[in-house]
């Protein structure tokens, strides 16, 4: 049979898959990658529910897991689109994001009571950001200096071979027909191409006589810094809410008032307050995920 809302290309039928001990009915999808994002959400719930019941390593478990991966590839493409124009091959970015998607699928549980898209996006974005961190400059350096760094490396190699020693700054400047100051600036800029890992071993004695690493000599990580980006994204979304919605959010999450207390102030039932809060949070979450404009 065909499930309503699924594009014709992604025909859905009820098929029977084996789990090694008995039969487990799973929706059969001829082309999971072509399932529309809206339909993928409901189908994903069905597959996650089955996945939790299946034994890992069985054919049925592999089928459910692979189908979830293919159905949610559009989420990876959506996340990768945020990095379009950075000069890297988008196929590499998408493939990197797929790693995050697979991690999210393996760790997701329906009991979390959150949409899989909300759960998976941080994993996908994390892998993509790690990709850019590992393959690009550690700090921002002007393109002029990036290009000069390459020319400087070639000049140093040429002069070292010719002179049988390391060339001086003046000799490099003469060969490249630039000033000594520009050579020095390019050498300093080259330090920004690679960053040292916080786990990199350092010479000398570390704490308690063990091997020292860079992280031992810097301050602790401030957890609040992770929230800065979220706050910047959330602020304009909060501004778009009505005065009553902002008041409800303030009472619930700033004043930490209960839903019953909020209902008394607003003159409505606790159940109605619960629905209002859920609606507001859903709207804010969609805004942060960039889904409002796509709805």
């Amino acid at each position: 049979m065909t499930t309503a809302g699924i594009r014709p290309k992604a025909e859905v039928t009820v098929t029977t898959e084996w789990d090694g001990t008995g039969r487990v009915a799973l929706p059969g999808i001829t082309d999971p990658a072509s399932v529309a994002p809206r339909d993928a959400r409901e189908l994903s719930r069905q597959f996650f529910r089955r996945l939790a019941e299946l034994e890992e390593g069985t054919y049925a478990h592999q089928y459910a897991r692979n189908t979830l991966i293919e159905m949610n590839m559009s989420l990876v493409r959506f996340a990768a689109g945020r990095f379009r124009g950075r000069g890297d091959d988008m196929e590499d970015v998408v493939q990197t994001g797929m790693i995050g998607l697979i991690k999210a699928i393996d760790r997701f549980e329906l009991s979390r009571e959150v949409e899989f898209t909300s759960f998976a996006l941080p994993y996908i974005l994390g892998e993509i950001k790690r990709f850019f961190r590992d393959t690009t400059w550690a700090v921002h350096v002007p393109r002029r200096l990036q290009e000069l760094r390459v020319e400087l490396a070639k000049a140093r190699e040429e002069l070292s071979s010719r002179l049988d020693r390391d060339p001086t700054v003046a000799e490099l400047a003469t060969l490249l027909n630039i000033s000594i100051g520009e050579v020095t600036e390019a050498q300093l800029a080259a330090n920004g191409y690679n960053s040292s890992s916080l786990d990199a071993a350092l010479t000398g004695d570390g704490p308690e006589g063990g091997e020292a690493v860079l992280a031992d000599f810097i301050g602790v990580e401030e957890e609040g810094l992770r929230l800065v980006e979220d706050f910047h994204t959330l602020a304009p979304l909060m501004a778009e809410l009505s005065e009553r919605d902002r008041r409800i959010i303030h009472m619930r999450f700033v004043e930490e008032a209960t839903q019953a207390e909020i209902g008394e102030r607003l003159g409505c039932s606790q159940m109605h307050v619960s629905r209002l809060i859920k609606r507001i949070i859903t709207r804010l979450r969609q805004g942060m995920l960039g889904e409002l404009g796509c709805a």
Side-chain angles (χ1 to χ4, degrees):
M1 66 177 181
T2 302
T3 299
I6 302 297
R7 297 175 185 175
K9 184 179 179 182
E11 183 179 353
V12 177
T13 58
V14 175
T15 187
T16 301
E17 304 295 342
W18 291 89
D19 68 354
T21 59
R23 293 184 176 182
V24 179
L26 288 171
I29 305 176
T30 57
D31 187 2
S34 69
V35 175
R38 288 180 179 272
D39 300 317
R41 292 186 182 184
E42 179 55 38
L43 286 171
S44 291
R45 293 190 189 98
Q46 298 179 36
F47 274 81
F48 274 119
R49 193 173 296 114
R50 292 296 189 187
L51 195 65
E53 301 169 352
L54 297 170
E55 182 181 350
E56 188 173 352
T58 61
Y59 171 75
H61 185 279
Q62 182 180 1
Y63 165 73
R65 183 173 180 268
N66 290 344
T67 302
L68 280 167
I69 293 172
E70 292 185 57
M71 276 198 304
N72 289 281
M73 285 178 60
S74 60
L75 186 61
V76 176
R77 289 191 290 269
F78 165 74
R82 297 187 177 187
F83 301 89
R84 194 177 304 279
R86 295 191 57 165
D88 290 80
D89 187 342
M90 286 303 297
E91 184 61 29
D92 290 339
V93 178
V94 171
Q95 290 300 319
T96 302
M98 288 297 295
I99 297 174
L101 174 63
I102 293 172
K103 288 182 178 179
I105 288 174
D106 290 341
R107 299 173 185 178
F108 181 71
E109 298 175 0
L110 284 173
S111 59
R112 295 177 183 272
E113 297 184 351
V114 296
E115 287 287 347
F116 174 67
T117 52
S118 303
F119 178 82
L121 196 58
Y123 281 93
I124 297 170
L125 290 173
E127 290 296 328
I128 294 176
K129 290 177 180 179
R130 189 175 297 111
F131 166 78
F132 281 109
R133 183 195 68 193
D134 294 341
T135 59
T136 56
W137 287 73
V139 295
H140 175 70
V141 173
R143 180 166 296 277
R144 173 182 63 85
L145 293 178
Q146 294 182 31
E147 295 172 349
L148 184 55
R149 181 190 71 88
V150 177
E151 296 300 319
L152 192 62
K154 293 178 181 178
R156 180 177 288 105
E157 182 178 354
E158 178 183 339
L159 287 175
S160 295
S161 177
R162 186 191 307 171
L163 302 172
D164 198 24
R165 61 172 173 80
D166 289 336
T168 65
V169 172
E171 289 168 339
L172 289 169
T174 300
L175 180 62
L176 294 174
N177 195 28
I178 59 177
S179 68
I180 291 177
E182 288 176 299
V183 173
T184 303
E185 188 179 13
Q187 289 176 326
L188 291 173
N191 294 330
Y193 188 70
N194 293 309
S195 58
S196 298
S197 169
L198 295 180
D199 296 321
L202 303 175
T203 57
D205 296 330
E208 301 179 358
E211 185 181 60
V213 295
L214 184 58
D216 294 329
F217 299 93
I218 63 175
V220 297
E221 180 180 358
E222 174 55 59
E223 293 292 332
L225 290 176
R226 299 181 181 181
L227 301 176
V228 172
E229 183 177 351
D230 290 340
F231 286 151
H232 279 286
T233 304
L234 188 60
L237 298 174
M238 288 290 295
E240 294 175 0
L241 296 177
S242 66
E243 179 63 32
R244 187 186 70 164
D245 286 352
R246 286 198 299 270
R247 184 186 174 196
I248 291 174
I249 291 295
H250 187 276
M251 286 189 289
R252 182 68 184 91
F253 298 103
V254 179
E255 299 179 15
E256 298 184 347
T258 65
Q259 294 180 359
E261 291 171 342
I262 296 174
E264 290 179 4
R265 298 190 199 181
L266 297 180
C268 58
S269 67
Q270 179 270 331
M271 185 176 297
H272 185 60
V273 172
S274 177
R275 287 196 295 266
L276 289 175
I277 293 175
K278 183 176 181 180
R279 175 183 60 78
I280 297 169
I281 292 177
T282 298
R283 176 177 176 81
L284 293 175
R285 180 184 294 117
Q286 289 176 338
M288 295 187 72
L289 294 176
E291 296 178 352
L292 285 179
C294 302

